[in-house]
Amino acid sequence: MSTKTARSATVSLELREDGILRIEVLPVQGHTTDVARENVEMARRLLEGRRAPALVDLRNAIKLDRPARGVYGNEADFALAQAILIDSPFSRILANLFIRLSGIPQPARVFTSEEDAVGWLAEFLP
């Protein structure tokens, strides 16, 4: 499988060779509901109707407003599971709160190590 990529003003997507979709939230503001929906649709197109485990890298995220977070949490039906990558204890608290409050329908966990996140996501590969 070759690597596929896509990019918007707010996220960079990479369908890795191992089948994991890596989503990097870029260090920009502007994650509105409409932008979030466009990004979710871009991921669906990249996956061509398939589902994949998603590695969501929030380490560079500046601000995601509440409605946009809801879209990313609830409308990301392309994800078999979500590993949320963060870089600080405070971010861990916020990410765990987001998981609990948003009602993400897939299994979701927070990680500070990309290697650990990928290892966990490998359990969900088809």
Side-chain angles (χ1 to χ4, degrees):
M1 175 189 310
S2 64
T3 302
K4 292 182 179 183
T5 62
R7 187 178 178 101
S8 73
T10 55
V11 298
S12 176
L13 305 175
E14 174 190 7
L15 180 56
R16 298 163 30 127
E17 289 188 16
D18 61 9
I20 293 172
L21 178 63
R22 188 177 195 288
I23 303 167
E24 180 181 356
V25 177
L26 301 174
V28 296
Q29 294 187 16
H31 286 265
T32 64
T33 302
D34 289 340
V35 168
R37 285 198 173 108
E38 289 172 12
N39 288 336
V40 168
E41 185 55 37
M42 183 173 55
R44 288 180 184 133
R45 283 193 307 273
L46 187 69
L47 290 169
E48 298 175 343
R50 295 183 313 272
R51 297 180 69 211
L55 173 62
V56 183
D57 185 347
L58 294 178
R59 293 177 293 185
N60 293 318
I62 293 176
K63 182 180 178 198
L64 306 174
D65 70 22
R66 184 182 307 242
R69 288 191 311 262
V71 170
Y72 288 133
N74 296 311
E75 296 184 26
D77 57 355
F78 57 83
L80 293 170
Q82 293 188 43
I84 300 171
L85 189 57
I86 51 89
D87 62 358
S88 73
F90 182 69
S91 295
R92 178 179 291 282
I93 292 167
L94 292 178
N96 280 314
L97 184 63
F98 166 70
I99 289 170
R100 274 189 241 116
L101 295 178
S102 69
I104 295 175
Q106 309 90 356
R109 284 186 58 189
V110 178
F111 296 88
T112 54
S113 160
E114 187 162 347
E115 183 180 330
D116 292 344
V118 168
W120 180 72
L121 287 172
E123 299 173 21
F124 299 93
L125 287 168

